[in-house]
Amino acid sequence: MQRNNLILILECLLMVFQPTSALWGDRVDESMFSNDDPLADAKLGQDWFGPLTYHQSSDAGTRWGWPGVFSYQSFKPIDSVEWDFLYPVLRYDRFGNESRLNFMSFFTIDRGDHATGGPRTRSAFFPFYFSDRGAEPSLNRTALWPVYGNMRRHFLRDEISFFLWPLYVRTEKKDVTTYNFLTPLIHWRKGHQLEGWQFLPFGSWERRKSHVMPNADGSQTFVPGYLKKSVAWPLFQTQQSELQHGGIMTRTALIPFYSLEKAPDRFSLTLPWPVGVTRTVDHQKDYREWGIPWPIITWARGDDKRAIRIWPLFGSQNSPNQQKGFVAWPLLRFQNKRNTASVKNSQQILFHLYKHVEETQRSNNEVLRERWSLWPFFIKERKNETTSIQWMAPLEAILWDKETLQRHYSPLWAIWRSQKDEVSGRHVRSFLWNVWRSDRSPKGNESSLLFGLFKHKESSSKSHWSVFGRPIGPSSNTP
């Protein structure tokens, strides 16, 4: 009964803040409400009352919210639900049987199906409490930091056990088990063809013998061996590694005096390290590089790379799949990235003050996506024959692809929105959260004032005005 009353109250509040007429306000998210003509679908309109609320629905899902406070969306084809309260303070995401509740990344609850143990629930109150519970008792874990506990799949480790951290910590990653004492000063490590120890800052030693590992498909993979040593860490370090094609690579560093890397086909020396004169030669790639000092002044030439840099005056780097550079950093930066399908060009002035990105299909030079932004004033995007413009975009101009952030906060400051679909010929514009709104299409034109209180509709045959939803004056026939 209480739950039904709460739902009724929320529905009443939503009705109070929404006018009866459908007023467009937010950009259509093609990933959620896509069809051949998204702007022509009446269900994709938005209900607005200034910047206070919005509502959007289609056969695929629903989106509504109170900007800056709460936002909700559901997507039926993949059975997903997402809502945010004071984003990013409290977030909830569900995809099928998997869900995640996240409070500032400090408190999280994850539910889903494990590959072998059935449904499981993982909860955490970072960094003090971690729990993993499910139908399979052998996979259950609990940790109360720093007293005692066991964890699975946390902190880039398969398994973690500890007692009075940092006094004792045991970790597992793949075939390697590490026993830590007074973490991270002392440890002893063992694994398949591997053993080692560490006693910082006095020294460390670790060796892995070369061996062959069987794969799931019956093939075998050669794993090169290595030997690592350090004395008075981090002042002196050395490592010898076997190479896949044969030979030994040796790395030696006496910090801060020098760093040396030697292999049959490669040589690199830095004096002093890390910022000093650097000389690198790679005979296999026919590559030469000078840094005087690196990375301030760099000159490099090779089959796959050519670079020159005098920071902050200018810099340029070319490789088969990428070209990037700068002039008077950070005044102007540019980049060109290529793959087998597309080419992506970008230019930036003063970090995010001005940005332009264009992605082009290589086969026919067709523009797949293009964006412009001038912080904090506007952002413009052209994609799938649809052009969208928004004036006032203090966050959108920086965080272009944060759809949740845009959905949650954009309605608060977007004073002008425009969206034009070249395929359908529909053009929708809104000023000051629909104080004035225009919707033009081949089927007819509609304009409104004061959130739809005054309306004018025009089609190929008729034209009429209305106030408060009631027609005024006789309808006129258009020639």
Side-chain angles (χ1 to χ4, degrees), residues 289-389:
E289 179 179 336
W290 279 98
I292 314 173
W294 184 91
I296 306 301
I297 301 175
T298 301
W299 178 89
R301 289 293 183 272
D303 294 338
D304 296 332
K305 179 180 177 181
R306 298 173 65 89
I308 183 171
R309 176 172 61 241
I310 302 179
W311 187 88
L313 300 180
F314 70 91
S316 176
Q317 178 178 315
N318 293 274
S319 61
N321 296 320
Q322 180 175 258
Q323 178 185 4
K324 62 181 180 179
F326 63 87
V327 177
W329 188 94
L331 179 62
L332 173 63
R333 293 188 295 169
F334 56 88
Q335 186 177 48
N336 176 284
K337 297 179 69 175
R338 301 173 289 274
N339 57 38
T340 57
S342 63
V343 178
K344 186 175 182 180
N345 290 290
S346 63
Q347 300 86 35
Q348 288 183 261
I349 296 178
L350 292 176
F351 298 110
H352 298 286
L353 179 63
Y354 171 79
K355 289 195 299 184
H356 174 232
V357 177
E358 181 184 64
E359 187 173 359
T360 307
Q361 190 169 329
R362 299 190 69 170
S363 60
N364 55 11
N365 290 326
E366 179 185 355
V367 177
L368 302 176
R369 188 178 189 184
E370 191 169 12
R371 282 184 173 185
W372 302 262
S373 67
L374 180 64
W375 182 88
F377 301 106
F378 85 92
I379 182 171
K380 178 180 179 181
E381 179 178 13
R382 181 158 59 95
K383 181 181 179 182
N384 296 337
E385 304 297 333
T386 300
T387 301
S388 302
I389 301 175

Side-chain angles (χ1 to χ4, degrees), residues 241-300:
S241 304
E242 296 181 2
L243 302 176
Q244 289 279 0
H245 57 273
I248 301 293
M249 173 180 286
T250 302
R251 295 186 177 97
T252 306
L254 183 59
I255 299 173
F257 302 106
Y258 78 93
S259 173
L260 174 64
E261 179 181 312
K262 292 180 64 177
D265 298 324
R266 180 178 173 86
F267 171 87
S268 181
L269 175 65
T270 301
L271 294 169
W273 187 91
V275 179
V277 178
T278 299
R279 173 61 170 165
T280 301
V281 178
D282 193 316
H283 297 287
Q284 185 178 12
K285 298 180 180 180
D286 192 20
Y287 177 77
R288 307 288 188 275
E289 179 179 336
W290 279 98
I292 314 173
W294 184 91
I296 306 301
I297 301 175
T298 301
W299 178 89

Side-chain angles (χ1 to χ4, degrees), residues 129-147:
Y129 175 77
F130 300 86
S131 174
D132 188 348
R133 289 288 182 271
E136 178 57 50
S138 63
L139 299 178
N140 293 348
R141 300 290 188 275
T142 304
L144 184 62
W145 186 87
V147 181

Side-chain angles (χ1 to χ4, degrees), residues 158 172-178 189-194 208 211 213:
D158 298 332
E172 294 182 11
K173 186 174 183 179
K174 296 183 179 179
D175 65 309
V176 179
T177 302
T178 304
R189 178 173 293 167
K190 67 174 184 177
H192 183 65
Q193 301 293 332
L194 180 143
R208 175 159 232 165
H211 59 282
M213 290 286 291

Side-chain angles (χ1 to χ4, degrees), residues 145 151 159-171 178-183 186-188:
W145 186 87
M151 291 183 286
E159 188 91 23
I160 300 176
S161 303
F162 64 89
F163 175 73
L164 296 180
W165 189 97
L167 185 62
Y168 170 77
V169 180
R170 176 181 177 272
T171 66
T178 304
Y179 301 87
N180 298 269
F181 306 91
L182 295 178
T183 309
I186 305 171
H187 79 229
W188 171 57

